[in-house]
Amino acid sequence: MAAAKQVNIAIIGAGGVGKCFLGQLETLAQRRPSPKLVLTYISTSKKAIYNSDYAAIAINDVSSKLASSSQAPLAPPKLIEYLKSSGSKTVLVDNTSSQDVADAYPLFLGNGISIVTPNKKAFSGSYELWQEIFSAAEQSGAKVYHESSVGAGLPVISTLNDLVNTGDEVTKIEGVFSGTMSFLFNSFAPTSGKGGQWSAEVRKAKELGYTEPDPRDDLNGLDVARKLTILARLAGLEVESPTSFPVQSLIPKELESVATGDEFLEKLPAFDSQMEETKAAAEKEGKVVRFVGSIDVASKQVKVGLEKFDLSHPIAALKGSDNIISFYTKRYGSNPLIIQGAGAGGEVTAMGVTSDLIKVLSQVA
């Protein structure tokens, strides 16, 4: 098969991660002149840029052009038709967290369009969608990579795939999968010193941009549950959805239904004693409390919530907003393979997407 001289790139999403990816794509196109990477489509939820003759869109000023564009984004079926008709290999980069785009992955892949994405919803939604995505890719030969759906640019998914594909037996996966929760508990219950009040730490995390606009979207544990669902499936467990296993929410029942994130923060101090008791109980045992996810492959148990750890444990010793993921396997024995580092942030998340794009290019071009 002759190598493709050109690969078209279509991008959905030009927000935080999307902007960082555009910068990395421009550098990649300069560093790797072959195959030629041509941006032929880019859209946000409201605007788009594309040309009927597939003329290349200049990457360097695309953000400002997109803001002033009068073109509307194409719905997935129309976009597939447009991308298919170009006559060139095409990679769709989905830098959104949209369920609608995720639901269309089997259609894109079935039509030979490869996908790279940090979108967790495609791989942690229903198990049926997961099966449809990978079976469509297998049938058409299109590629799908989603390294940044867990741990941003950390090589979590590629490492797990390598362990499984080389025949190692993964027995347990455990770790801190949320930069937000890592930051909160490293400040609230540090291994040395006292730590702050729980509500004050949540407020500080929000002010520093570590939480979602409404901190409850982090504290409900669902983000971690989505990541665990993805890893459990890659390890061979047929997990139906992120709500099909125990997930501990740190939102007081009384505050689940308050109208806004700001109102939640105002009322949270009244519930500080609950978290203080949890912290004190761990301290009595000479331990610290952390918010972790774990997958026990043998017993098929997945859970997310608070656990106590000895001060010497790698999970206890995390700093800042780092993630840590430990893989316990037959080959690695009692000392797990550990991956640690920044698990959130635009540039590192985009790095995982760019790295996936390079993998696809090596296979399709």
Side-chain angles (χ1 to χ4, degrees):
M1 189 177 90
K5 292 188 172 66
Q6 175 176 318
V7 174
N8 290 346
I9 308 293
I11 301 173
I12 302 177
V17 174
K19 277 196 177 69
C20 296
F21 173 74
L22 282 166
Q24 293 181 22
L25 177 64
E26 189 174 12
T27 307
L28 179 66
Q30 290 162 355
R31 280 182 51 241
R32 292 174 60 127
S34 178
K36 188 181 180 191
L37 301 180
V38 178
L39 180 62
T40 55
Y41 178 92
I42 183 167
S43 71
T44 60
S45 57
K46 295 189 170 62
K47 295 175 180 259
I49 302 175
Y50 59 96
N51 299 305
S52 56
D53 62 354
Y54 301 94
I57 301 162
I59 300 171
N60 57 357
D61 62 347
V62 74
S63 292
S64 55
K65 281 192 176 151
L66 193 55
S68 58
S69 171
S70 58
Q71 287 174 291
L74 297 172
K78 290 278 185 203
L79 179 55
I80 290 165
E81 203 176 300
Y82 170 74
L83 298 177
K84 257 182 81 176
S85 305
S86 72
S88 295
K89 295 268 188 189
T90 300
V91 182
L92 173 72
V93 183
D94 172 22
N95 284 323
T96 74
S97 57
S98 162
Q99 187 66 58
D100 289 342
V101 178
D103 287 342
Y105 282 9
L107 274 176
F108 282 102
L109 293 162
N111 281 280
I113 297 160
S114 295
I115 295 174
V116 297
T117 183
N119 189 344
K120 286 189 278 289
K121 289 184 180 160
F123 307 96
S124 64
S126 74
Y127 190 65
E128 186 184 6
L129 177 60
W130 167 276
Q131 289 174 308
E132 286 172 359
I133 286 169
F134 290 102
S135 102
E138 201 175 328
Q139 283 165 18
S140 72
K143 309 299 170 192
V144 55
Y145 287 98
H146 55 107
E147 183 67 75
S148 285
S149 63
V150 178
L154 295 175
V156 177
I157 285 175
S158 50
T159 299
L160 178 55
N161 278 331
D162 285 348
L163 291 168
V164 172
N165 293 336
T166 59
D168 199 354
E169 188 184 320
V170 180
T171 54
K172 185 181 177 186
I173 303 168
E174 179 181 59
V176 173
F177 294 88
S178 160
T180 306
M181 292 299 204
S182 180
F183 177 82
L184 278 173
F185 281 92
N186 296 340
S187 306
F188 170 65
T191 48
S192 60
K194 191 172 180 312
Q197 289 287 321
W198 175 248
S199 58
E201 296 299 348
V202 174
R203 187 176 285 277
K204 183 168 78 175
K206 188 192 173 193
E207 284 164 0
L208 291 170
Y210 284 119
T211 74
E212 295 293 331
D214 186 335
R216 286 175 295 181
D217 291 336
D218 294 293
L219 298 176
N220 65 12
L222 189 60
D223 177 63
V224 176
R226 285 192 180 282
K227 294 169 186 173
L228 267 280
T229 299
I230 294 168
L231 296 182
R233 287 172 176 175
L234 291 171
L237 302 184
E238 294 184 8
V239 175
E240 182 46 47
S241 76
T243 55
S244 63
F245 51 85
V247 178
Q248 183 178 0
S249 170
L250 300 186
I251 305 167
K253 282 244 180 308
E254 298 87 339
L255 301 184
E256 283 175 351
S257 57
V258 298
T260 65
D262 288 338
E263 188 185 346
F264 169 75
L265 284 173
E266 277 166 33
K267 293 183 172 172
L268 189 58
F271 300 88
D272 277 346
S273 60
Q274 295 174 6
M275 290 300 288
E276 281 299 327
E277 283 166 23
T278 304
K279 176 161 79 170
E283 283 172 355
K284 267 190 189 146
E285 298 176 35
K287 298 182 177 185
V288 289
V289 66
R290 295 289 182 261
F291 193 84
V292 299
S294 66
I295 301 163
D296 188 313
V297 181
S299 65
K300 300 185 177 179
Q301 288 195 311
V302 185
K303 62 177 179 173
V304 173
L306 295 172
E307 302 278 351
K308 295 178 243 180
F309 292 92
D310 289 326
L311 302 187
S312 59
H313 196 287
I315 284 177
L318 271 186
K319 297 283 184 280
S321 61
D322 275 6
N323 284 188
I324 184 168
I325 295 93
S326 304
F327 293 105
Y328 293 83
T329 80
K330 198 167 182 181
R331 284 187 196 136
Y332 279 86
S334 57
N335 290 330
L337 166 59
I338 294 175
I339 297 169
Q340 181 178 338
E347 287 294 346
V348 289
T349 302
M351 180 195 98
V353 178
T354 305
S355 170
D356 280 348
L357 175 59
I358 293 167
K359 286 176 189 155
V360 172
L361 294 175
S362 71
Q363 291 176 287
V364 304

